[in-house]
Amino acid sequence: MLCPGRDLGLRATRRFQTVIVRQMPTPAPQADLHPIFDRVLDRAAKEQRLGQRGRVVWLYGLSGSGKSTLAVALERRLHAEGFATHLLDGDNVRTGLNRDLGFSDADRAENIRRVAEVAKLFAAAGVVVIAAFITPLRAHRRLVREIVGAEDFLEIYVAASFEACAKRDPKGLYAKAKAGNVAQFTGRDSAFEPPASEDGAITLDTEAEPADASLARLHAAILPRIRL
């Protein structure tokens, strides 16, 4: 006979092990596509009108590391300074554009790919994009860099240990994961890869410094990249 807690855990495990196959639309043959990139108003004209350069500031790290806090604070500061910005946050995007995606390895990669394509469009319009996503694997970050373009991509690692994030637990996810109510939890059930030295990421250690100090360093790092 199973105890209620164990029975609940088994049911949750079976639920998350269920494979849902989505019927994806068949892409149109390339011969049937006729892009008009050469006819639209060019990027330089848009950047001149805005008085800034379009860039993608990509913050990543464990849940609770401080990504969203820094992203919101950075956007507010840049807005006050007259910059046109747009913030893309992981939870926000999953309520709309990516609401059909789960947390399997394939869905995580697709989540990042879609967001990178959206960020690329905003940057091409001269907007400073601030993205806050866990983005757990180096392969995910390489994909973003390839889509957005190395010149436009600023990789920001918001560092904090699993233990520190678990203590903060702003969304209650660590407590739920410990109770077995969250599957594929990053840092425990699912891998998280910190950047390697050759990745060129800027690291903000939110355990070692207060949020105001991290924000100041982030702002100082990106300002020269977005000014005309």
Side-chain angles (χ1 to χ4, degrees), residues 150-195:
E151 179 65 23
D152 289 341
F153 182 61
L154 290 83
E155 182 175 334
I156 313 294
Y157 173 41
V158 183
S161 67
F162 185 90
E163 293 73 22
C165 293
K167 288 180 181 178
R168 296 171 184 171
D169 202 10
K171 302 174 184 176
L173 294 176
Y174 285 83
K176 291 179 180 179
K178 186 176 181 180
N181 296 325
V182 178
Q184 298 298 314
F185 193 69
T186 306
R188 194 193 69 163
D189 312 309
S190 183
F192 180 87
E193 299 174 345

Side-chain angles (χ1 to χ4, degrees), residues 32-52:
D32 294 336
L33 300 178
H34 304 280
I36 59 168
F37 296 127
D38 58 327
R39 292 159 50 195
V40 301
L41 186 66
D42 66 24
R43 174 173 177 166
K46 297 171 184 177
E47 290 183 331
Q48 284 293 333
R49 172 58 62 89
L50 293 171
Q52 64 183 50

Side-chain angles (χ1 to χ4, degrees), residues 11-38:
R11 290 202 303 272
T13 300
R14 293 183 185 120
R15 184 172 67 252
F16 283 109
Q17 286 177 338
T18 301
V19 178
I20 300 174
V21 179
R22 294 187 301 275
Q23 183 64 44
M24 301 298 289
T26 303
Q30 290 296 312
D32 294 336
L33 300 178
H34 304 280
I36 59 168
F37 296 127
D38 58 327

Side-chain angles (χ1 to χ4, degrees), residues 16 20 22 24 90-91 93-116 133:
F16 283 109
I20 300 174
R22 294 187 301 275
M24 301 298 289
D91 285 351
V93 169
R94 281 184 177 274
T95 66
L97 176 67
N98 292 346
R99 66 186 302 174
D100 61 322
L101 299 177
F103 293 91
S104 67
D105 290 344
D107 279 3
R108 286 174 186 264
E110 176 61 11
N111 180 54
I112 295 302
R113 187 197 69 80
R114 292 183 192 179
V115 173
F133 292 80

Side-chain angles (χ1 to χ4, degrees), residues 52-117:
Q52 64 183 50
R53 298 188 189 281
R55 293 289 186 262
V56 177
V57 183
W58 196 280
L59 293 87
Y60 65 95
L62 292 173
S63 177
S65 61
K67 302 180 300 299
S68 295
T69 298
L70 285 170
V72 169
L74 177 63
E75 182 177 44
R76 290 183 180 278
R77 181 163 181 177
L78 293 178
H79 179 77
E81 294 170 342
F83 291 97
T85 62
H86 188 71
L87 195 156
L88 296 170
D89 180 79
D91 285 351
N92 287 1
V93 169
R94 281 184 177 274
T95 66
L97 176 67
N98 292 346
R99 66 186 302 174
D100 61 322
L101 299 177
F103 293 91
S104 67
D105 290 344
D107 279 3
R108 286 174 186 264
E110 176 61 11
N111 180 54
I112 295 302
R113 187 197 69 80
R114 292 183 192 179
V115 173
E117 292 286 1

Side-chain angles (χ1 to χ4, degrees), residues 123-165:
V127 175
V128 177
V129 182
I130 303 166
F133 292 80
I134 292 176
T135 329
L137 303 182
R138 292 181 66 207
H140 294 157
R141 276 109 64 181
R142 285 194 298 270
L143 175 63
V144 177
R145 185 183 294 273
E146 290 170 4
I147 291 172
V148 170
E151 179 65 23
D152 289 341
F153 182 61
L154 290 83
E155 182 175 334
I156 313 294
Y157 173 41
V158 183
S161 67
F162 185 90
E163 293 73 22
C165 293

